[in-house]
Amino acid sequence: MVSTNRHIIDKSLVAPFKSRQEHRKNIELEEARKAGLVPAEVDKNGKEINPHIPKYVADTPWYIKTEEGPSLEHQRKPESNVNGKKKSQYDRGAKLFQALTYRKGACTNCGSMKHDAKSCTERTRKVGAKWTGKYIAPDEMIETLALLSYDEKRDRWNGYNPSSYAHVIKRYELHQEARNKYLKEERIQKLEDETDDIRVDEAKADESKQTDFAKVEKRVRTTGGGSTGTVRNLRIREDTAKYLRNLDVNSAHYDPKSRSMRENPNPDADPNEQFYVGDNVWRNTGQALEFGQMNIHALEAFERGQDVHMQAAPSQAEFLYKNYKAIKERLTSQTNCTILEKYGNAASGEELPKELLLGQSERDVEYDRSGRIIKGKEEAVPRSKYAEDVSINNHTCVWGSWWKGHQWGYKCCKQFMRNSYCTGAAGVEAAIHLLEP
């Protein structure tokens, strides 16, 4: 048996065969149309087709079935035709009919005829509309626009009306207006409580709307729009300007852009009468000192090999600085507790031992004429942190306890070689025999 594979081919998708002469005539006709010698080609709607359009643009794709003849309809945006009108957007939220009672075949949850209970988007009711017959939802408008483009079919904002969000904006505006009114009344009430002898008139209270000198705004210098910092909008009117405190041109420098004067404009004046002493005073108070110490800690840690940088990772640098302070405080407290446990606390009022106050003790030691101890124990000699009186290789003395002939050696066996094995009395006799002439 011989099996054959048969394929069914749609003849409408296959281009018609053209001979060499017909192909050559078509090329000559296209060149004549481009040169203007022959009128342009006309589509089925009577519109001329530009002969300079590329072939891959003018030809209809194989997957689009159109009537025979040249056309550019596949390059135009398709539009839906609903009730004789061109339409390309959905009517979002459009309702068709509002029923008063439940109808057979409607959604058992809300009562709408356009969907079933599985497709219902309303909150699931405890008792559905089918059994209560109340609060029937209106029927929605369901449209099927078949001639939409690929992007229009997947546009989730298709048919959205921005004016439907206006009530939300209105609600927030009313909330903000009420909040501003409450804050204004609170400021006026606080001002009246502080000034018991002075009555606040309504004109001054109305000026509280304009006292927004503390408002912080961005200051932009660069052409690209980058902000270089923040400044206050206005200063308090009652405050004297910094550049008016000393009119001498050689006094403290004033920067008009940042509105700062770092040095004291009147350094020779009485400190008790000076109200402004320069901006540098505030740089050495508050969190400025802590920030400087944290920056120094980051630099020292980076020099010791830790991967920390204050500008690149400020959060990491702050975390390491907090850990450093906690560990330092814990070690300091442990050291203090150890010292107090050993020597006591003089500020606590407890009576200290006499040996600590006078450097003396009641220990009694009695010696004979030769210096030997008869009674009591001699005071122990304090030892260093290094190993002492450690004998190796059967030695009873350390190396360097004997000196002879400009050489160091062991006193127990009279040997000059270091780390040698001790031979005892035999070694002493051998050394004496070697030293005899």
Side-chain angles (χ1 to χ4, degrees), residues 12-28:
S12 62
L13 301 179
V14 180
F17 177 77
K18 294 181 181 180
S19 62
R20 182 175 297 179
Q21 289 79 10
E22 292 176 352
H23 185 67
R24 185 178 298 172
K25 287 181 181 180
N26 291 337
I27 293 177
E28 292 176 356

Side-chain angles (χ1 to χ4, degrees), residues 292-309:
Q293 294 174 359
M294 183 169 59
N295 198 359
I296 294 173
H297 174 263
L299 292 175
E300 293 178 350
F302 182 78
E303 291 177 356
R304 291 185 175 91
Q306 294 188 11
D307 188 11
V308 58
H309 197 276

Side-chain angles (χ1 to χ4, degrees), residues 41 106 236 250:
E41 193 175 10
I236 302 177
N250 296 324

